[in-house]
Amino acid sequence: MNEQQSSKEQELLKNIDHLEFENNCLRQLLTYCMDIISAEKEKAKKQEEVQTAQENLFITETQNLYQLKNSILNKSESRNYYWINKELFSSDYADEYKETYGKLYVFPQVALHSVIILADFNVNFDIYSNKFFKNKYLSKSIDFLICSLIVKEYPDSDGNGTHKDYLYNPILAIEIDGVFHSSELQIKRDNIKNAILAAVNLPLIRYSLESPDKEAIGCIIRKALLSK
């Protein structure tokens, strides 16, 4: 074996050793990655098991903690809701309402986020996208919301018929102020709700729970609706 062949063989052995080293490193790295993936899967599985156990425990433990209410409204809310419906649909003014608005509906306890959306030109308005703003303010509800039914009819795509959209257009919000509405904190909350509804041009009437009777409530609603 000459000196040149010996040098090539040594170089070849070095390359083989280098490749074996790289392969060992890759195997170790692959093993390490697989161990991490396996550990993450096991962690996710345990988290899912814990969550399932918590949900099952919640369902089991709360079976005797809750019961179905016999009314979605309390006594005063139910009484006012009855009066408002009667004023809209059974009074002498019902025909005049119908002539102006069509058919009217009253919805109780309507969340503000069901009534208010972000204007198209303000899609990047930061305050609206802030969860704090939405959760703190738009989660509040309107005691009663009066809507007019708007029916829009469109031709079907095949031209052989039509289909209808039924839209409930908000026209008047009603807030009933109870005894706690005279507190400083409640006044602040009421002012915020007033400002939000004013910003979207939804008329709002307020009356005290303590003072008006049926006729007074009817007068307030008539004045608000028929003066629009």
Side-chain angles (χ1 to χ4, degrees):
M1 181 181 299
N2 57 36
E3 185 176 341
Q4 186 176 5
Q5 283 181 323
S6 176
S7 177
K8 287 184 178 180
E9 287 178 358
Q10 289 178 2
E11 185 178 352
L12 180 59
L13 289 173
K14 287 181 181 179
N15 290 336
I16 292 173
D17 290 340
H18 182 69
L19 288 173
E20 288 181 353
F21 175 77
E22 288 185 343
N23 287 337
N24 287 333
C25 289
L26 288 173
R27 280 194 293 268
Q28 291 176 7
L29 179 61
L30 182 60
T31 301
Y32 177 72
C33 292
M34 294 300 294
D35 289 342
I36 292 177
I37 294 172
S38 179
E40 289 297 322
K41 286 183 177 179
E42 187 65 25
K43 181 180 178 181
K45 181 179 178 182
K46 288 182 178 180
Q47 288 178 340
E48 184 177 354
E49 290 174 351
V50 170
Q51 183 177 350
T52 300
Q54 289 175 339
E55 291 173 350
N56 291 336
L57 180 63
F58 175 81
I59 293 171
T60 302
E61 293 296 324
T62 57
Q63 284 179 345
N64 298 322
L65 294 179
Y66 300 104
Q67 64 183 30
L68 187 67
K69 294 171 65 176
N70 58 13
S71 174
I72 62 172
L73 305 174
N74 62 36
K75 289 182 179 180
S76 61
E77 290 170 339
S78 296
R79 183 170 60 251
N80 280 275
Y81 185 59
Y82 173 80
W83 287 345
I84 291 171
N85 272 289
K86 190 170 184 180
E87 173 60 32
L88 287 177
F89 305 131
S90 304
S91 71
D92 296 334
Y93 296 87
D95 289 339
E96 191 167 357
Y97 297 148
K98 186 175 182 180
E99 181 180 344
T100 305
Y101 300 106
K103 191 169 180 59
L104 292 178
Y105 291 85
V106 186
F107 298 96
Q109 298 298 328
V110 180
L112 286 173
H113 63 70
S114 297
V115 182
I116 298 171
I117 59 173
L118 184 65
D120 292 338
F121 53 83
N122 280 331
V123 291
N124 295 319
F125 191 39
D126 291 339
I127 191 171
Y128 188 89
S129 62
N130 188 298
K131 288 185 178 180
F132 173 82
F133 176 79
K134 290 191 287 186
N135 292 339
K136 186 173 179 63
Y137 299 117
L138 296 189
S139 62
K140 306 301 181 184
S141 61
I142 301 168
D143 288 339
F144 303 110
L145 182 67
I146 298 177
C147 297
S148 63
L149 176 62
I150 300 175
V151 182
K152 292 188 175 182
E153 192 167 344
Y154 304 92
D156 289 335
S157 57
D158 57 12
N160 294 326
T162 60
H163 68 273
K164 296 179 180 179
D165 284 344
Y166 300 89
L167 309 177
Y168 294 87
N169 179 39
I171 59 173
L172 181 64
I174 299 176
E175 286 284 291
I176 305 172
D177 295 340
V179 293
F180 298 108
H181 279 258
S182 58
S183 69
E184 183 177 348
L185 177 60
Q186 190 58 51
I187 290 174
K188 181 179 179 181
R189 291 173 177 173
D190 290 343
N191 288 338
I192 291 173
K193 187 182 293 185
N194 295 347
I196 292 174
L197 295 179
V200 296
N201 297 317
L202 178 61
L204 167 67
I205 59 174
R206 288 183 176 274
Y207 61 82
S208 172
L209 183 63
E210 299 175 343
S211 56
D213 55 14
K214 182 170 105 174
E215 183 58 32
I217 295 172
C219 288
I220 294 172
I221 294 173
R222 288 196 296 271
K223 183 178 179 180
L225 286 176
L226 300 180
S227 64
K228 286 191 66 178

